[in-house]
Amino acid sequence: MDYKKKYRQWRDDLFFDVATRRELIELRDEEEIKDRFYCDLTFGTGGLRGVMGAGTNRMNKYTVGKVTLGLGNYLLDSYGEEACKSRGVVIGYDTRNHSDFFAKIAANVLSSIGIRVYLHSHARPVPQLSFSVKFWNALAGVMITASHNSKEYNGYKVYDEYGCQLVLHQAEQVITYVDAITDYQMIRFCGDESLISMADVTDNFVIAVLKQSRCDDCAAKADLKIVYTPLHGTGTVPVQKALRLDGFVQVDTVAEQSIPDGNYHTVISPNPEDPHALALGIAQAERTGADLVLGTDPDCDRVGIAVRGREGKFHQMTGNQVGALLIKFLLTNSDMGQYLHPAVIKTVVTSDLGANIAGKHGVTVFSTLTGFKFIGERITQFQQAKQKGRENQAYDFLFGYEESCGYLAGIHAGDKDAVVSCLLISEMAAEIKAKGKTLLDEMEAIYSEYGYYRDALDSFTEENIDDPKKISSKMAQLRLMDSPFKETESVTDFLHPVAAEPGFGFLPVSDVLKYRLKDGSWIAVRPSGTEPKIKIYYSVKGKDMAEAERKLEGFRNTMRITLSI
């Protein structure tokens, strides 16, 4: 069926509700109609994500219903009716526009086919959804969120029974069932209320987070002054509760950003990596004399921080820097004797600095593809290996992180957790302050010992590469040529099988190229998984920061010339 027929069907068929048909009747732009109906919004390895609105290529009641029915049929075939009715599915949602509505749609569709649902009673973080799946011993979890995308978007993430996002082989199975839903009228939107329970395990989640505490210096924690902003998202309750119960008594929130708001009216982008996202928090910290600014994204799985330097100015720190600091803090403040085989997990586009710290302390470091779901998968493999007595895979998970400000300590969740991250970052800052230093001083000490690392990310979205086919062409072009960088030691193409650590086979194939240089620097190139852009990651090592900066500028120029952008 071509897009015009699909459009007319949605516009005219009384199966679709009045609001949907009215929205489509009012459309006049032919290109807009085509964009809404030329394809179906795809359920991929990261779940579902798209602009909200009427149409097959939009996030709406019907596309969410279709994916949910496919997921439900998959669960029924995989686990059986009895398990689906007893163990069920947990559904959570963030503060994004219509997230609560889509969560209720998902609950109704699952319950209509006999699957029990635990529906979060309030907007809560992604890691709390992951925790809830384990807490309720559920078969799966659904989280309605589009993370830090702009207000027009929403999304749908699926978690397995271990609280981890689906990885490729799992997603492919679900996709088969979703694709089998060929008629939206197969979906029943009237749920079975007897199978839907409203659930709130916030207190249980916070208790689990507090078990990761590494600092018992009450005076140091009471002395630290924190400004926290949830950026209009889900972190407000659990982050403040965790910090308060841990002994942090000087926590100010950014009032205007503590209000749930799917329009994110105070920020251009609610992304803690964005230098502007913490602007209001930093301004408040400057007025109040705070030491530390914490900002979590709307679904509260990532956190950005800014630290007051000795000169009084606030400095935002990168995900790679915070990850390295947290590894040192955890290794210094943990009873390492309790771990037989301690492990840290990072992604292939995360700096080697944290890995070098872990390695020096005898901790095994694992590298996964980009996406925390792969870190979660490895954690699950560690746990299953212990249960089954497979010694070659039985590692003790200590910490996992990625360069985009996502961290996890503990196994209470199977996804990155900004709540536990806020707790540990605050404890780390308190401990350092008690010694008369700042996290910036601690970072400088790490650089002095391990070398200076300058990390950066370029995302190219100019018109000449904003088409997916052009992006594929650019990647193919890079594969056909020799490395554009002098002193290249090796080039790894993840489209070919790349061995994981011993005992774990091979990494899944992925459209990533990584150039490793003889000086310890590396450059990685990959297409974005959610947007039409090319991402270039730089991890540059120098004898001092000035040299690292000079090298970075040279590498950036080389890539611009190579890609002709």
Side-chain angles (χ1 to χ4, degrees):
M1 189 185 301
D2 66 25
Y3 77 89
K4 290 183 179 180
K5 289 182 179 179
K6 289 181 182 179
Y7 165 68
R8 288 193 292 268
Q9 181 189 37
W10 278 54
R11 183 194 64 188
D12 301 334
D13 192 328
L14 295 181
F15 169 77
F16 297 96
D17 60 40
V18 173
T20 296
R21 286 182 283 118
R22 183 183 299 120
E23 181 181 335
L24 295 175
I25 288 170
E26 293 173 355
L27 286 180
R28 296 291 182 268
D29 186 336
E30 187 67 20
E31 285 301 313
E32 173 71 8
I33 293 172
K34 181 178 180 180
D35 187 60
R36 287 177 181 237
F37 288 95
Y38 83 97
C39 69
D40 290 348
L41 191 62
T42 304
F43 181 85
T45 56
L48 200 70
R49 186 177 299 192
V51 174
M52 290 178 281
T56 60
N57 190 33
R58 293 289 186 270
M59 277 287 293
N60 54 63
K61 169 183 176 179
Y62 303 99
T63 54
V64 167
K66 176 181 177 179
V67 168
T68 305
L69 180 56
L71 172 64
N73 289 338
Y74 161 76
L75 293 173
L76 286 167
D77 281 357
S78 300
Y79 295 96
E81 292 182 7
E82 183 177 343
C84 285
K85 192 169 185 176
S86 60
R87 294 177 62 186
V89 175
V90 184
I91 299 177
Y93 58 95
D94 66 7
T95 57
R96 190 169 288 274
N97 293 332
H98 307 302
S99 284
D100 55 347
F101 171 72
F102 292 141
K104 183 62 175 175
I105 292 296
N108 285 341
V109 172
L110 288 174
S111 65
S112 76
I113 57 174
I115 298 177
R116 176 166 297 283
V117 173
Y118 298 96
L119 176 62
H120 280 191
S121 53
H122 303 89
R124 288 292 184 262
V126 157
Q128 186 167 327
L129 180 279
S130 175
F131 168 84
S132 298
V133 172
K134 293 185 172 187
F135 183 86
W136 292 109
N137 189 33
L139 298 175
V142 170
M143 182 71 188
I144 307 297
T145 178
S147 187
H148 58 275
N149 276 65
S150 58
K151 63 183 181 180
E152 296 82 11
Y153 284 80
N154 214 319
Y156 184 110
K157 293 181 179 180
V158 180
Y159 289 76
D160 66 16
E161 61 184 312
Y162 305 103
C164 301
Q165 278 194 68
L166 301 187
V167 292
L168 183 59
H169 69 92
Q170 296 169 313
E172 287 177 340
Q173 295 177 59
V174 175
I175 289 168
T176 300
Y177 283 84
V178 173
D179 289 345
I181 311 301
T182 56
D183 184 348
Y184 287 96
Q185 298 197 36
M186 298 166 67
I187 307 165
R188 287 180 285 173
F189 291 101
C190 293
D192 182 345
E193 292 296 331
S194 70
L195 291 176
I196 301 175
S197 303
M198 302 304 291
D200 185 2
V201 294
T202 301
D203 288 345
N204 306 83
F205 171 63
V206 170
I207 289 170
V209 165
L210 289 169
K211 290 180 180 178
Q212 295 304 315
S213 171
R214 295 299 203 280
C215 175
D216 57 6
D217 189 337
C218 297
K221 288 189 278 193
D223 185 53
L224 189 74
K225 296 181 179 180
I226 302 169
V227 168
Y228 168 64
T229 172
L231 296 176
H232 302 290
T234 57
T236 303
V237 172
V239 169
Q240 291 188 86
K241 183 171 286 191
L243 291 176
R244 183 178 69 252
L245 291 174
D246 197 41
F248 292 95
V249 297
Q250 299 189 77
V251 181
D252 292 331
T253 59
V254 179
E256 56 266 57
Q257 292 181 329
S258 297
I259 302 168
D261 176 18
N263 293 317
Y264 312 117
H265 70 278
T266 65
V267 289
I268 297 172
S269 169
N271 183 351
E273 289 183 279
D274 188 328
H276 304 292
L278 299 186
L280 288 181
I282 291 172
Q284 184 166 319
E286 289 173 340
R287 292 193 304 271
T288 62
D291 306 297
L292 174 68
V293 177
L294 301 169
T296 55
D297 61 349
D299 58 355
C300 197
D301 59 359
R302 299 187 302 139
V303 56
I305 78 168
V307 181
R308 183 185 292 276
R310 290 186 176 277
E311 80 289 0
K313 179 183 177 183
F314 275 86
H315 301 262
Q316 289 185 241
M317 303 191 76
T318 69
N320 281 314
Q321 290 175 323
V322 175
L325 287 166
L326 283 171
I327 287 175
K328 182 177 180 182
F329 175 72
L330 288 168
L331 292 175
T332 304
N333 291 278
S334 298
D335 174 14
M336 298 304 291
Q338 68 181 301
Y339 304 117
L340 186 61
H341 300 297
V344 163
I345 311 173
K346 70 176 193 66
T347 70
V348 297
V349 295
T350 299
S351 169
D352 294 329
L353 179 56
N356 292 342
I357 296 171
K360 188 172 182 179
H361 287 79
V363 175
T364 303
V365 179
F366 289 80
S367 291
T368 69
L369 293 179
T370 307
F372 218 91
K373 59 180 175 283
F374 295 112
I375 295 177
E377 178 188 35
R378 191 69 85 227
I379 296 170
T380 298
Q381 290 170 342
F382 292 168
Q383 294 175 274
Q384 291 176 333
K386 287 183 179 181
Q387 295 168 358
K388 297 177 180 179
R390 295 197 300 262
E391 291 298 324
N392 66 327
Q393 293 183 335
Y395 287 85
D396 301 299
F397 174 72
L398 181 67
F399 185 67
Y401 75 116
E402 55 189 2
E403 99 301 331
S404 54
C405 303
Y407 322 98
L408 175 66
I411 57 173
H412 59 284
D415 206 342
K416 49 187 178 286
D417 179 4
V419 183
V420 76
S421 301
C422 284
L423 178 83
L424 292 173
I425 291 166
S426 299
E427 288 190 341
M428 180 169 63
E431 183 180 271
I432 293 294
K433 183 183 178 183
K435 297 176 182 178
K437 299 179 181 180
T438 71
L439 292 179
L440 298 173
D441 297 325
E442 183 72 356
M443 195 71 242
E444 183 64 29
I446 289 175
Y447 284 145
S448 296
E449 182 175 357
Y450 293 91
Y452 285 79
Y453 286 77
R454 175 68 167 89
D455 302 294
L457 169 65
D458 287 338
S459 295
F460 290 110
T461 56
E462 284 87 350
E463 289 186 3
N464 63 327
I465 63 161
D466 66 359
D467 182 278
K469 292 182 180 178
K470 292 181 180 178
I471 291 175
S472 298
S473 176
K474 292 290 183 182
M475 294 300 296
Q477 174 187 333
L478 286 174
R479 288 187 166 89
L480 289 173
M481 60 188 296
D482 293 331
S483 170
F485 304 102
K486 296 179 180 178
E487 303 297 318
T488 296
E489 183 175 75
S490 64
V491 181
T492 303
D493 185 350
F494 290 85
L495 273 184
H496 302 293
V498 174
E501 288 69 27
F504 291 87
F506 293 87
L507 298 177
V509 296
S510 183
D511 193 3
V512 181
L513 278 172
K514 187 171 184 178
Y515 305 90
R516 187 170 289 279
L517 311 187
K518 293 179 181 178
D519 67 355
S521 303
W522 56 257
I523 300 92
V525 187
R526 73 177 184 94
S528 169
T530 56
E531 300 169 272
K533 63 173 65 171
I534 283 181
K535 289 189 171 185
I536 304 173
Y537 301 80
Y538 305 89
S539 184
V540 184
K541 188 176 181 181
K543 65 178 184 295
D544 54 35
M545 195 53 71
E547 181 184 65
E549 289 282 1
R550 288 195 299 272
K551 288 183 179 181
L552 172 62
E553 185 57 32
F555 296 154
R556 280 177 151 166
N557 288 336
T558 297
M559 285 308 299
R560 291 188 188 103
I561 293 170
T562 302
L563 293 174
S564 301
I565 43 183

